[in-house]
Amino acid sequence: MTVYDELFFIGCPKFLSPVVSENSSSPFGSSGPRGLQLQVFKTEVEQQRLIPTLRSFLKLYTSIPISKLAKFLDMHENEVRCCLMAFKHKKEIAKGDGGDQTTMDIDFYVDKDMIHISDTKIARHYGDYYVQQILKLKESNKNDYCGGLDHPSSISNPGRHLKTFKVLDIY
């Protein structure tokens, strides 16, 4: 986490304390408001670090006990519950912001000690896509074939856009 500490201190703005204290005991601790913001940042990084791993395990199951997931993650069950709630919270934030779409393809709920997972990935409509592409191709062909008919020279020579091919008699 020292790399994150360095990157945070390089990129963060200078935080000011909203409280002016005359003595050395600050309500923010010895590191001041900058240290407090660093702790919040490190907590956020730790939560974000676990989301891809948690998501990959959840995609494998339709339901899984919290104890089994905790064993897979080498964590305590209460920590897994916290991670699940953080994952759910991040997912809701991403949904509202229109941000990260990778976390939105899975949904789950916790019922006592069991996690129930539903895959909410929207099925692709291949038929609609092909029909749309066929219509585009027809429109394109129509424009290519009839595209020059409005031009005055095409009225006198309507076949000027058509290429003639010589058929060879091989027999």
Side-chain angles (χ1 to χ4, degrees):
M1 286 298 253
T2 58
V3 174
Y4 290 115
D5 293 353
E6 291 174 20
L7 291 174
F8 179 78
F9 282 128
I10 290 170
C12 75
K14 304 300 180 220
F15 297 103
L16 299 175
S17 174
V19 179
V20 178
S21 64
E22 296 177 9
N23 56 9
S24 61
S25 63
S26 173
F28 300 107
S30 61
S31 58
R34 197 171 185 192
L36 180 66
Q37 291 297 322
L38 175 65
Q39 292 302 321
V40 171
F41 176 73
K42 287 167 73 172
T43 304
E44 182 71 22
V45 167
E46 186 64 27
Q47 288 177 353
Q48 292 287 341
R49 184 184 65 82
L50 293 173
I51 286 177
T53 307
L54 191 60
R55 181 180 167 272
S56 65
F57 278 117
L58 291 177
K59 287 202 60 84
L60 293 175
Y61 297 93
T62 56
S63 62
I64 183 173
I66 291 179
S67 58
K68 187 174 184 178
L69 185 60
K71 287 178 187 174
F72 288 152
L73 295 172
D74 293 327
M75 297 172 74
H76 193 266
E77 289 183 24
N78 289 335
E79 291 174 337
V80 172
R81 285 181 189 269
C82 290
C83 291
L84 287 169
M85 292 304 109
F87 178 64
K88 191 85 156 169
H89 177 70
K90 303 292 182 212
K91 181 180 173 269
E92 292 300 319
I93 290 173
K95 187 188 298 184
D97 293 343
D100 186 18
Q101 299 294 318
T102 59
T103 60
M104 295 177 58
D105 65 343
I106 191 167
D107 196 18
F108 65 92
Y109 66 93
V110 179
D111 183 26
K112 297 182 184 170
D113 289 334
M114 185 67 75
I115 305 166
H116 300 278
I117 301 114
S118 63
D119 192 9
T120 59
K121 189 173 185 178
I122 299 170
R124 293 182 179 156
H125 301 284
Y126 293 111
D128 294 342
Y129 174 77
Y130 286 121
V131 168
Q132 189 178 35
Q133 294 302 314
I134 289 169
L135 291 174
K136 283 182 182 179
L137 180 63
K138 282 184 178 180
E139 185 68 29
S140 174
N141 286 342
K142 182 177 143 185
N143 288 340
D144 288 346
Y145 182 72
C146 300
L149 292 181
D150 296 339
H151 194 271
S153 65
S154 61
I155 295 172
S156 62
N157 185 7
R160 80 175 175 89
H161 291 294
L162 301 175
K163 293 182 180 178
T164 56
F165 296 98
K166 184 176 182 181
V167 179
L168 299 175
D169 188 14
I170 300 177
Y171 302 106

